[in-house]
């Protein structure tokens, strides 16, 4: 096993995650199998209960792990699927060590930071580094380890010592490489380099790489490669000795060529698409990082430049018209002039009246709308009030004793313990009978042709029989209502405590709100779509977690395509693939027939 440690100095937030992900992509371009671990020095067990304002987005993995947003970067760049074990926190390590101490692992000994904590960190890294994370199902060749925070922080000290010891454990020097990321400020037009000089005084000049500002972070791997970083990695780690198989080498080259072609083609795109993101946490854009990335992926697929308009949902509410009329009128002008409206996930009552107003505007003006998790529930509340004539319709999250609770707390969820107790992780959704008209199903359904009876990709579709006696919301089993014994099944990641109340599904459906996707028991509403609307879709899951640069999320792709006026051409492309600049060979099916 070879390790690449990525650390940062001077300040946090300087791009360690992008450098780590880009380095991994360069290694994969050689045909190597790459995994990644993120170390976060905070005491929380995981990121699940942390405020998005303080720490940015919580990223959710297949196994339900709520982790740091950098793991999303790893998955997006490296086309891998990680687990909660790939995110180490101080809380996890201390919890693990204290558990061992309580069970007598070191009976009679004094348990200390060195060696017990540092050994635990090294053991964790060595164990997780060997877990397969890609479709080869084989042990990775290289593990990227990103050390969060900043070198010099007190909380980082045990991990820095652990990495020093891991370097010794790795054996020869060619098994461990350290990349240190520093920031060079420009003051009065002059670059100030003294801090960086002190950090890298023992480094050869040929090993210093400059990462200048670029138009998109997707250009960073190309920028690193152009400065000889791949050759340096090959030489220092002796990567040629690993000798990957010819098929993996070919796939690596194809992935790299596709990445360069797609990212550089964006420099020649001139048409834009404007999307209004109506949210609760718009002051910190990292709160919606995966949403933004999914929109970017979809915009690239549609050969558009994404113009993302951030709208604080509270500014759309009547109270804002009284207290801050300037912000109110500006927000509504931006909603009205945007080509599409997106309401993402969130928690709590604040701003939801503004979201409901935005959802109503999108529905009544035929403007493309995408609701994610809370955004779907918002659409249901608005529809119940204004179409189904249920004026008191609400969510129990927003009004605990609502007289018409169209959105309810899921009965199996723990009401007292918050950490890790939501409905989390990869879960199936079945498209319902008579939903063949659905535009979203058409987008997903193209991938069903790619499976040919084999297991689907994580965000793909496969045909398989439903579980026996799986009840629908209206009572009969799926087997009794389906003319097709093999419904389409998709797998997407979830993170929620509330759901559409099954007691209101019939009245909503009879008034035109179609729940075209349900869970594997037919009880939980997963996808809502309006038939007579260009694109009005809500999903209970979070499709952004599985969106990839070379394989955009289907709900986001359909939404951006509808906003761009090219939805039908996107749906109509063979096998659900899409090409550069709207033509040519599609990347959805890979390059030269090799799936990426």
């Amino acid at each position: 096993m070879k390790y690449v440690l990525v650390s940062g100095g001077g300040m946090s937030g300087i791009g360690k995650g992008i450098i780590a992900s880009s380095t991994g992509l360069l290694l994969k371009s050689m045909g190597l199998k790459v995994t990644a671990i993120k170390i976060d020095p905070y005491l929380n067990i995981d990121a699940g209960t942390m405020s998005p304002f303080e720490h940015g987005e919580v990223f959710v993995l297949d196994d339900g792990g709520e982790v740091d947003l950098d793991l999303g970067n790893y998955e997006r760049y490296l086309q891998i699927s990680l687990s909660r074990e790939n995110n180490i926190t101080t809380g996890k390590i201390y919890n693990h060590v204290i558990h061992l101490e309580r069970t007598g692992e070191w009976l009679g000994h004094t348990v200390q930071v060195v060696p017990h904590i540092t050994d635990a960190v090294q053991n964790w890294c060595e164990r997780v580094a060997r877990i397969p994370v890609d479709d080869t199902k084989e042990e990775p060749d290289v593990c990227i380890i990103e050390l969060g925070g900043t070198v010099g922080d007190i909380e980082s000290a045990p991990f820095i010592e652990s990495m020093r010891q891991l370097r010794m454990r790795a054996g020869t020097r060619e098994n461990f490489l350290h990349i240190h990321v520093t920031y060079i400020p420009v003051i009065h037009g002059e670059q100030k380099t003294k801090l960086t000089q002190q950090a890298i005084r023992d480094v050869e000049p040929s090993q210093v790489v400059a990462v200048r500002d670029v138009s998109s972070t997707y250009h960073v791997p190309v920028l690193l490669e152009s400065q000889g970083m791949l050759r340096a990695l090959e030489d220092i780690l002796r990567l040629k000795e690993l000798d990957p198989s010819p098929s993996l080498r070919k796939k690596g080259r194809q992935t790299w060529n596709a990445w360069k072609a797609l990212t550089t083609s964006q420099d020649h795109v001139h048409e834009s698409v404007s999307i209004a993101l109506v949210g609760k946490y718009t002051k910190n854009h990292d709160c919606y990082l995966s949403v933004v990335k999914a929109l970017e992926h979809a915009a690239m697929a549609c050969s558009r430049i994404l113009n993302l308009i951030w709208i604080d949902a509270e500014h759309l509410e009547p109270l804002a018209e009284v207290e801050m009329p300037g912000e109110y009128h500006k927000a509504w002008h931006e909603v009205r002039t945007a080509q599409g409206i997106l309401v993402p996930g969130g928690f709590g009552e604040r701003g939801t009246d503004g979201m409901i107003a935005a959802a109503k505007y999108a529905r009544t003006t035929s403007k493309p709308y995408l609701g994610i998790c809370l955004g779907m529930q918002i659409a249901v509340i608005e529809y119940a009030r204004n179409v189904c004539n249920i004026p008191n319709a609400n969510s129990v999250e927003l009004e605990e004793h609502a007289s018409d609770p169209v959105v309810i707390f899921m009965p199996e969820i723990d009401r007292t313990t918050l950490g890790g107790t939501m409905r989390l992780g990869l879960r199936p959704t079945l498209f319902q009978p008579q939903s063949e008209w659905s535009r979203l199903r058409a987008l997903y359904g193209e991938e069903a042709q790619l499976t040919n009876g084999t297991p689907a990709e994580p965000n793909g579709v496969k045909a398989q029989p439903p579980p026996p006696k799986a009840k629908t919301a209206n009572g009969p089993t799926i087997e009794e209502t389906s003319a097709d014994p093999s419904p389409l099944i998709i797998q997407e990641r979830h993170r929620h405590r509330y759901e559409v109340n099954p007691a209101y599904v019939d009245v909503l459906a009879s008034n035109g709100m179609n729940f075209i996707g349900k869970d594997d028991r037919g009880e939980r509403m997963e996808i809502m779509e309006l038939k007579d609307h260009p694109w009005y879709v809500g999903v209970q899951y979070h499709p952004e977690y599985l969106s990839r640069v070379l394989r955009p999320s289907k709900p986001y792709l359909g939404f951006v395509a509808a906003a761009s006026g090219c939805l039908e051409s996107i749906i109509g492309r063979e096998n659900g693939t899409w090409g550069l600049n709207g033509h040519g060979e599609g990347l959805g099916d890979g390059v030269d027939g090799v799936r990426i």
Side-chain angles (χ1 to χ4, degrees), residues 52-53 279-283 288 312-315 317 346-355 374 378 397-398:
F53 283 121
K280 300 163 64 74
Y281 317 119
T282 54
K283 290 182 176 63
Y288 299 111
D312 188 328
E314 288 185 285
H315 293 168
E317 298 177 349
F347 299 93
E349 181 183 2
R350 183 179 61 82
T352 51
D353 285 342
M355 296 178 185
L374 174 63
I378 289 293
E397 180 183 14
L398 314 180

Side-chain angles (χ1 to χ4, degrees), residues 25-26 29 218-226 230 252-268 300 549-550 580 587 591 596:
L25 179 60
L26 291 177
S29 73
Y218 304 121
H219 290 320
V220 173
V222 180
L223 178 62
L224 297 180
E225 192 268 345
S226 68
L230 186 54
R253 288 193 301 270
Q254 292 170 338
T255 299
W256 180 243
N257 291 336
W259 184 285
K260 288 195 297 183
L262 179 62
T263 55
T264 56
S265 70
Q266 285 302 105
D267 294 335
H268 307 290
M300 286 191 286
V549 178
L550 302 177
L580 302 177
L587 296 177
V591 179
I596 49 182

